[in-house]
Short mmCIF file of all heavy atoms in Angstrom, two decimals:
data_model
loop_
_atom_site.label_atom_id
_atom_site.label_comp_id
_atom_site.label_asym_id
_atom_site.label_seq_id
_atom_site.Cartn_x
_atom_site.Cartn_y
_atom_site.Cartn_z
N GLY U 85 90.13 103.68 97.97
CA GLY U 85 91.28 103.86 98.84
C GLY U 85 90.84 104.16 100.26
O GLY U 85 91.51 103.81 101.24
N ASP U 86 89.67 104.79 100.38
CA ASP U 86 89.19 105.17 101.71
C ASP U 86 88.99 103.95 102.63
O ASP U 86 89.22 104.04 103.83
CB ASP U 86 87.88 105.97 101.60
CG ASP U 86 88.12 107.38 101.04
OD1 ASP U 86 89.29 107.78 100.94
OD2 ASP U 86 87.13 108.06 100.73
N LEU U 88 90.83 101.32 102.59
CA LEU U 88 92.17 100.95 103.06
C LEU U 88 92.59 101.83 104.23
O LEU U 88 93.20 101.36 105.20
CB LEU U 88 93.18 101.05 101.91
CG LEU U 88 94.63 100.70 102.27
CD1 LEU U 88 94.75 99.24 102.72
CD2 LEU U 88 95.58 100.96 101.11
N LEU U 89 92.23 103.11 104.16
CA LEU U 89 92.58 104.01 105.26
C LEU U 89 91.89 103.59 106.56
O LEU U 89 92.49 103.57 107.63
CB LEU U 89 92.19 105.45 104.90
CG LEU U 89 92.96 106.04 103.71
CD1 LEU U 89 92.37 107.38 103.30
CD2 LEU U 89 94.45 106.18 104.05
N ARG U 90 90.63 103.21 106.43
CA ARG U 90 89.90 102.76 107.62
C ARG U 90 90.52 101.46 108.16
O ARG U 90 90.69 101.29 109.37
CB ARG U 90 88.43 102.52 107.28
CG ARG U 90 87.56 102.23 108.49
CD ARG U 90 86.16 101.84 108.08
NE ARG U 90 85.33 102.95 107.66
CZ ARG U 90 84.47 103.58 108.45
NH1 ARG U 90 84.33 103.21 109.71
NH2 ARG U 90 83.74 104.57 107.99
N LEU U 91 90.91 100.58 107.23
CA LEU U 91 91.50 99.30 107.64
C LEU U 91 92.83 99.47 108.37
O LEU U 91 93.05 98.82 109.39
CB LEU U 91 91.76 98.45 106.39
CG LEU U 91 90.81 97.34 106.02
CD1 LEU U 91 91.37 96.60 104.81
CD2 LEU U 91 90.62 96.36 107.17
N VAL U 92 93.70 100.32 107.85
CA VAL U 92 95.01 100.46 108.50
C VAL U 92 94.84 101.01 109.92
O VAL U 92 95.57 100.61 110.84
CB VAL U 92 96.03 101.31 107.71
CG1 VAL U 92 96.52 100.57 106.48
CG2 VAL U 92 95.49 102.67 107.34
N ILE U 93 93.87 101.90 110.09
CA ILE U 93 93.65 102.44 111.44
C ILE U 93 93.10 101.34 112.36
O ILE U 93 93.54 101.19 113.50
CB ILE U 93 92.72 103.67 111.37
CG1 ILE U 93 93.47 104.83 110.69
CG2 ILE U 93 92.26 104.09 112.78
CD1 ILE U 93 92.63 106.07 110.44
N PHE U 96 96.28 98.87 112.97
CA PHE U 96 97.55 99.29 113.57
C PHE U 96 97.39 100.27 114.74
O PHE U 96 98.39 100.65 115.34
CB PHE U 96 98.46 99.89 112.49
CG PHE U 96 98.75 98.94 111.36
CD1 PHE U 96 98.34 99.21 110.07
CD2 PHE U 96 99.43 97.74 111.61
CE1 PHE U 96 98.60 98.33 109.03
CE2 PHE U 96 99.68 96.84 110.58
CZ PHE U 96 99.26 97.13 109.29
N CYS U 97 96.17 100.70 115.04
CA CYS U 97 95.99 101.69 116.11
C CYS U 97 95.08 101.16 117.21
O CYS U 97 94.13 100.43 116.94
CB CYS U 97 95.37 102.97 115.53
SG CYS U 97 96.42 103.75 114.31
N GLY U 109 98.26 105.88 118.40
CA GLY U 109 97.29 106.58 117.56
C GLY U 109 97.84 106.74 116.16
O GLY U 109 98.74 105.99 115.74
N ILE U 110 97.30 107.74 115.41
CA ILE U 110 97.85 108.02 114.09
C ILE U 110 98.70 109.29 114.15
O ILE U 110 98.48 110.16 115.00
CB ILE U 110 96.77 108.19 113.00
CG1 ILE U 110 95.92 109.47 113.20
CG2 ILE U 110 95.87 106.97 112.91
CD1 ILE U 110 95.13 109.88 111.95
N GLY U 111 99.64 109.39 113.22
CA GLY U 111 100.44 110.59 113.06
C GLY U 111 100.24 111.13 111.66
O GLY U 111 100.24 110.36 110.70
N VAL U 112 100.02 112.44 111.55
CA VAL U 112 99.78 113.06 110.25
C VAL U 112 100.53 114.38 110.14
O VAL U 112 100.99 114.92 111.14
CB VAL U 112 98.27 113.33 110.01
CG1 VAL U 112 97.49 112.03 109.94
CG2 VAL U 112 97.69 114.25 111.07
N THR U 113 100.60 114.89 108.91
CA THR U 113 101.12 116.23 108.71
C THR U 113 99.95 117.20 108.79
O THR U 113 98.79 116.81 108.68
CB THR U 113 101.78 116.36 107.33
OG1 THR U 113 100.78 116.20 106.31
CG2 THR U 113 102.88 115.33 107.13
N GLU U 114 100.26 118.47 108.94
CA GLU U 114 99.22 119.50 108.96
C GLU U 114 99.61 120.57 107.95
O GLU U 114 100.68 121.15 108.08
CB GLU U 114 99.12 120.07 110.37
CG GLU U 114 98.32 121.33 110.56
CD GLU U 114 96.86 121.16 110.19
OE1 GLU U 114 96.32 120.06 110.41
OE2 GLU U 114 96.30 122.11 109.64
N PRO U 115 98.83 120.80 106.86
CA PRO U 115 97.57 120.13 106.55
C PRO U 115 97.78 118.76 105.93
O PRO U 115 98.90 118.39 105.58
CB PRO U 115 96.92 121.07 105.53
CG PRO U 115 98.05 121.75 104.84
CD PRO U 115 99.14 121.86 105.87
N THR U 116 96.66 118.03 105.79
CA THR U 116 96.70 116.71 105.17
C THR U 116 95.31 116.40 104.62
O THR U 116 94.42 117.25 104.64
CB THR U 116 97.17 115.64 106.19
OG1 THR U 116 97.48 114.44 105.48
CG2 THR U 116 96.11 115.34 107.24
N TYR U 117 95.12 115.16 104.13
CA TYR U 117 93.81 114.72 103.65
C TYR U 117 92.87 114.73 104.85
O TYR U 117 93.13 114.05 105.85
CB TYR U 117 93.95 113.33 103.05
CG TYR U 117 92.69 112.71 102.47
CD1 TYR U 117 91.66 113.47 101.92
CD2 TYR U 117 92.57 111.33 102.44
CE1 TYR U 117 90.55 112.86 101.36
CE2 TYR U 117 91.45 110.70 101.88
CZ TYR U 117 90.45 111.49 101.36
OH TYR U 117 89.34 110.88 100.81
N SER U 118 91.79 115.50 104.77
CA SER U 118 90.98 115.75 105.95
C SER U 118 90.21 114.52 106.44
O SER U 118 89.66 114.53 107.54
CB SER U 118 90.01 116.91 105.69
OG SER U 118 89.26 116.66 104.52
N LEU U 119 90.21 113.45 105.65
CA LEU U 119 89.55 112.22 106.11
C LEU U 119 90.32 111.52 107.23
O LEU U 119 89.72 110.86 108.08
CB LEU U 119 89.35 111.25 104.93
CG LEU U 119 88.64 109.93 105.24
CD1 LEU U 119 87.19 110.17 105.67
CD2 LEU U 119 88.66 108.99 104.03
N TYR U 120 91.66 111.65 107.27
CA TYR U 120 92.45 110.88 108.25
C TYR U 120 92.00 111.11 109.69
O TYR U 120 91.73 110.15 110.42
CB TYR U 120 93.95 111.17 108.15
CG TYR U 120 94.63 110.94 106.81
CD1 TYR U 120 95.78 111.66 106.49
CD2 TYR U 120 94.16 110.02 105.89
CE1 TYR U 120 96.44 111.47 105.29
CE2 TYR U 120 94.81 109.82 104.67
CZ TYR U 120 95.95 110.56 104.38
OH TYR U 120 96.61 110.38 103.19
N PRO U 121 91.95 112.38 110.14
CA PRO U 121 91.54 112.58 111.54
C PRO U 121 90.10 112.14 111.80
O PRO U 121 89.80 111.69 112.92
CB PRO U 121 91.71 114.09 111.76
CG PRO U 121 91.93 114.70 110.43
CD PRO U 121 92.39 113.63 109.51
N VAL U 122 89.24 112.22 110.79
CA VAL U 122 87.85 111.77 110.99
C VAL U 122 87.82 110.26 111.25
O VAL U 122 87.17 109.79 112.19
CB VAL U 122 86.97 112.12 109.75
CG1 VAL U 122 85.57 111.55 109.92
CG2 VAL U 122 86.92 113.62 109.52
N LEU U 123 88.58 109.51 110.46
CA LEU U 123 88.62 108.05 110.66
C LEU U 123 89.24 107.71 112.01
O LEU U 123 88.80 106.77 112.68
CB LEU U 123 89.42 107.38 109.53
CG LEU U 123 88.80 107.46 108.13
CD1 LEU U 123 89.77 106.90 107.09
CD2 LEU U 123 87.47 106.71 108.08
N ALA U 124 90.23 108.48 112.42
CA ALA U 124 90.85 108.25 113.74
C ALA U 124 89.83 108.51 114.85
O ALA U 124 89.74 107.75 115.81
CB ALA U 124 92.08 109.14 113.91
N THR U 129 90.95 106.85 118.36
CA THR U 129 92.40 106.74 118.58
C THR U 129 92.99 108.15 118.44
O THR U 129 92.46 108.96 117.67
CB THR U 129 93.01 105.74 117.58
OG1 THR U 129 94.25 105.26 118.07
CG2 THR U 129 93.21 106.35 116.19
N PRO U 130 94.04 108.48 119.18
CA PRO U 130 94.54 109.86 119.15
C PRO U 130 95.21 110.24 117.84
O PRO U 130 95.69 109.39 117.10
CB PRO U 130 95.54 109.91 120.31
CG PRO U 130 95.80 108.52 120.71
CD PRO U 130 94.72 107.65 120.19
N VAL U 131 95.26 111.55 117.58
CA VAL U 131 95.87 112.08 116.37
C VAL U 131 97.02 113.00 116.76
O VAL U 131 96.83 113.97 117.49
CB VAL U 131 94.86 112.91 115.55
CG1 VAL U 131 95.51 113.48 114.29
CG2 VAL U 131 93.63 112.07 115.19
N LYS U 132 98.23 112.67 116.33
CA LYS U 132 99.38 113.56 116.51
C LYS U 132 99.62 114.25 115.18
O LYS U 132 99.79 113.58 114.16
CB LYS U 132 100.60 112.74 116.92
CG LYS U 132 101.93 113.47 116.81
CD LYS U 132 102.09 114.53 117.87
CE LYS U 132 103.40 115.29 117.70
NZ LYS U 132 103.49 116.43 118.66
N SER U 133 99.61 115.58 115.18
CA SER U 133 99.80 116.24 113.89
C SER U 133 100.96 117.21 113.94
O SER U 133 101.14 117.94 114.93
CB SER U 133 98.47 116.84 113.45
OG SER U 133 98.50 118.20 113.38
N VAL U 134 101.79 117.18 112.92
CA VAL U 134 103.02 117.99 112.85
C VAL U 134 102.91 118.93 111.65
O VAL U 134 102.69 118.47 110.54
CB VAL U 134 104.26 117.07 112.71
CG1 VAL U 134 105.51 117.88 112.41
CG2 VAL U 134 104.45 116.23 113.96
N LEU U 136 103.62 121.08 108.45
CA LEU U 136 104.58 121.05 107.34
C LEU U 136 105.34 122.36 107.30
O LEU U 136 104.90 123.37 107.87
CB LEU U 136 103.83 120.84 106.02
CG LEU U 136 103.23 119.45 105.82
CD1 LEU U 136 102.33 119.43 104.59
CD2 LEU U 136 104.31 118.38 105.71
N ILE U 142 108.16 118.14 104.28
CA ILE U 142 108.06 117.52 105.60
C ILE U 142 109.25 117.96 106.46
O ILE U 142 110.40 117.88 106.00
CB ILE U 142 108.03 115.98 105.45
CG1 ILE U 142 106.78 115.56 104.66
CG2 ILE U 142 108.06 115.29 106.81
CD1 ILE U 142 106.69 114.08 104.34
N PHE U 146 110.38 115.21 111.66
CA PHE U 146 109.04 114.63 111.59
C PHE U 146 108.98 113.24 112.24
O PHE U 146 108.16 112.99 113.13
CB PHE U 146 108.59 114.55 110.12
CG PHE U 146 107.23 113.93 109.92
CD1 PHE U 146 106.07 114.64 110.21
CD2 PHE U 146 107.11 112.62 109.46
CE1 PHE U 146 104.81 114.06 110.03
CE2 PHE U 146 105.85 112.04 109.26
CZ PHE U 146 104.71 112.76 109.55
N MET U 150 107.05 111.81 115.68
CA MET U 150 106.08 110.71 115.63
C MET U 150 106.45 109.62 116.64
O MET U 150 105.60 109.07 117.33
CB MET U 150 106.03 110.11 114.22
CG MET U 150 105.39 111.03 113.21
SD MET U 150 103.70 111.38 113.71
CE MET U 150 103.37 112.92 112.89
N VAL U 155 103.01 106.98 118.16
CA VAL U 155 101.95 106.60 117.22
C VAL U 155 102.20 105.19 116.67
O VAL U 155 103.34 104.72 116.61
CB VAL U 155 101.83 107.61 116.05
CG1 VAL U 155 101.60 109.02 116.58
CG2 VAL U 155 103.05 107.57 115.15
N GLY U 156 101.11 104.53 116.26
CA GLY U 156 101.23 103.19 115.67
C GLY U 156 101.22 103.23 114.15
O GLY U 156 101.59 102.25 113.50
N LEU U 157 100.78 104.37 113.61
CA LEU U 157 100.60 104.48 112.17
C LEU U 157 100.83 105.93 111.75
O LEU U 157 100.25 106.85 112.34
CB LEU U 157 99.16 104.09 111.80
CG LEU U 157 98.70 104.35 110.37
CD1 LEU U 157 99.39 103.39 109.40
CD2 LEU U 157 97.18 104.19 110.26
N VAL U 158 101.68 106.11 110.73
CA VAL U 158 101.90 107.45 110.18
C VAL U 158 101.31 107.48 108.77
O VAL U 158 101.54 106.56 107.98
CB VAL U 158 103.41 107.79 110.14
CG1 VAL U 158 103.66 109.11 109.42
CG2 VAL U 158 103.98 107.84 111.57
N LEU U 159 100.52 108.51 108.49
CA LEU U 159 99.89 108.66 107.18
C LEU U 159 100.47 109.88 106.49
O LEU U 159 100.34 111.01 106.98
CB LEU U 159 98.38 108.85 107.35
CG LEU U 159 97.64 107.69 108.02
CD1 LEU U 159 96.41 108.19 108.76
CD2 LEU U 159 97.25 106.63 107.02
N ILE U 160 101.14 109.65 105.37
CA ILE U 160 101.69 110.76 104.58
C ILE U 160 101.05 110.73 103.21
O ILE U 160 101.11 109.71 102.52
CB ILE U 160 103.23 110.64 104.44
CG1 ILE U 160 103.91 110.80 105.79
CG2 ILE U 160 103.75 111.68 103.44
CD1 ILE U 160 105.44 110.68 105.75
N VAL U 161 100.41 111.81 102.83
CA VAL U 161 99.85 111.87 101.48
C VAL U 161 100.90 112.49 100.56
O VAL U 161 101.39 113.58 100.79
CB VAL U 161 98.48 112.61 101.44
CG1 VAL U 161 98.50 113.95 102.12
CG2 VAL U 161 97.98 112.74 100.00
N ASN U 162 101.30 111.71 99.55
CA ASN U 162 102.37 112.11 98.63
C ASN U 162 102.12 111.56 97.24
O ASN U 162 102.08 110.35 97.08
CB ASN U 162 103.72 111.58 99.15
CG ASN U 162 104.88 112.19 98.39
OD1 ASN U 162 105.16 113.37 98.55
ND2 ASN U 162 105.53 111.41 97.55
N HIS U 164 101.27 115.52 97.83
CA HIS U 164 100.51 116.05 98.94
C HIS U 164 99.19 116.68 98.50
O HIS U 164 99.14 117.38 97.48
CB HIS U 164 101.36 117.09 99.67
CG HIS U 164 100.70 117.68 100.88
ND1 HIS U 164 100.19 118.95 100.90
CD2 HIS U 164 100.45 117.15 102.10
CE1 HIS U 164 99.66 119.18 102.10
NE2 HIS U 164 99.81 118.10 102.84
N ALA U 165 98.15 116.39 99.26
CA ALA U 165 96.89 117.11 99.11
C ALA U 165 96.70 117.94 100.38
O ALA U 165 96.94 117.42 101.47
CB ALA U 165 95.73 116.13 98.95
N LEU U 176 111.29 109.76 101.77
CA LEU U 176 110.27 108.90 102.38
C LEU U 176 110.91 107.62 102.93
O LEU U 176 110.51 107.13 103.98
CB LEU U 176 109.18 108.57 101.35
CG LEU U 176 108.38 109.78 100.87
CD1 LEU U 176 107.53 109.42 99.66
CD2 LEU U 176 107.50 110.34 101.99
N ILE U 179 112.37 108.36 106.27
CA ILE U 179 111.33 108.44 107.30
C ILE U 179 110.89 107.03 107.69
O ILE U 179 110.77 106.70 108.88
CB ILE U 179 110.13 109.29 106.80
CG1 ILE U 179 110.57 110.75 106.66
CG2 ILE U 179 108.94 109.17 107.76
CD1 ILE U 179 109.53 111.66 105.99
N LEU U 183 111.14 105.18 111.32
CA LEU U 183 109.93 104.71 112.00
C LEU U 183 109.95 103.19 112.24
O LEU U 183 109.18 102.68 113.06
CB LEU U 183 108.68 105.05 111.17
CG LEU U 183 108.32 106.53 111.05
CD1 LEU U 183 107.15 106.71 110.08
CD2 LEU U 183 107.95 107.12 112.43
N ALA U 187 106.45 102.23 114.10
CA ALA U 187 105.15 102.51 113.47
C ALA U 187 105.16 102.09 112.01
O ALA U 187 106.20 102.03 111.35
CB ALA U 187 104.84 104.01 113.56
N VAL U 188 103.95 101.81 111.52
CA VAL U 188 103.74 101.55 110.09
C VAL U 188 103.65 102.90 109.38
O VAL U 188 103.09 103.86 109.92
CB VAL U 188 102.44 100.74 109.89
CG1 VAL U 188 102.03 100.69 108.42
CG2 VAL U 188 102.61 99.32 110.44
N LEU U 189 104.20 102.97 108.18
CA LEU U 189 104.10 104.18 107.37
C LEU U 189 103.21 103.89 106.16
O LEU U 189 103.56 103.04 105.33
CB LEU U 189 105.49 104.64 106.89
CG LEU U 189 105.49 105.80 105.88
CD1 LEU U 189 104.90 107.07 106.48
CD2 LEU U 189 106.91 106.06 105.37
N LEU U 190 102.06 104.56 106.09
CA LEU U 190 101.24 104.47 104.88
C LEU U 190 101.49 105.71 104.03
O LEU U 190 101.30 106.84 104.51
CB LEU U 190 99.74 104.36 105.20
CG LEU U 190 98.91 104.28 103.90
CD1 LEU U 190 97.95 103.10 103.93
CD2 LEU U 190 98.16 105.56 103.61
N ILE U 191 101.93 105.49 102.80
CA ILE U 191 102.12 106.60 101.87
C ILE U 191 100.91 106.58 100.92
O ILE U 191 100.71 105.62 100.18
CB ILE U 191 103.44 106.46 101.10
CG1 ILE U 191 104.61 106.39 102.09
CG2 ILE U 191 103.62 107.64 100.13
CD1 ILE U 191 105.93 106.01 101.47
N ASP U 192 100.12 107.62 101.02
CA ASP U 192 98.88 107.73 100.25
C ASP U 192 99.22 108.30 98.88
O ASP U 192 99.46 109.50 98.74
CB ASP U 192 97.90 108.62 101.02
CG ASP U 192 96.56 108.77 100.33
OD1 ASP U 192 96.47 108.52 99.12
OD2 ASP U 192 95.60 109.17 101.03
N GLU U 193 99.26 107.41 97.88
CA GLU U 193 99.61 107.82 96.52
C GLU U 193 98.39 107.96 95.62
O GLU U 193 98.42 107.58 94.45
CB GLU U 193 100.61 106.82 95.92
CG GLU U 193 101.94 106.80 96.66
CD GLU U 193 103.06 106.13 95.86
OE1 GLU U 193 102.81 105.09 95.22
OE2 GLU U 193 104.19 106.65 95.88
N ILE U 217 103.37 100.68 103.52
CA ILE U 217 102.21 100.36 102.67
C ILE U 217 101.97 101.56 101.76
O ILE U 217 102.01 102.71 102.22
CB ILE U 217 100.94 100.11 103.52
CG1 ILE U 217 101.16 98.91 104.45
CG2 ILE U 217 99.72 99.87 102.62
CD1 ILE U 217 100.02 98.71 105.44
N LEU U 219 99.19 103.37 99.25
CA LEU U 219 97.77 103.39 98.86
C LEU U 219 97.69 103.86 97.42
O LEU U 219 98.30 104.86 97.03
CB LEU U 219 96.97 104.32 99.76
CG LEU U 219 95.47 104.50 99.44
CD1 LEU U 219 94.71 104.81 100.73
CD2 LEU U 219 95.19 105.59 98.40
#
Side-chain angles (χ1 to χ4, degrees):
D86 288 350
L88 179 63
L89 295 172
R90 188 187 284 264
L91 259 184
V92 288
I93 290 175
F96 302 117
C97 298
I110 68 164
V112 295
T113 65
E114 168 62 34
T116 193
Y117 181 30
S118 53
L119 181 65
Y120 303 154
V122 175
L123 294 174
T129 201
V131 179
K132 165 72 182 174
S133 115
V134 171
L136 289 171
I142 297 175
F146 178 76
M150 290 299 157
V155 304
L157 171 71
V158 173
L159 299 151
I160 294 179
V161 51
N162 191 71
H164 182 254
L176 296 168
I179 292 172
L183 292 174
V188 168
L189 172 63
L190 179 129
I191 303 170
D192 182 340
E193 295 197 319
I217 299 173
L219 177 151

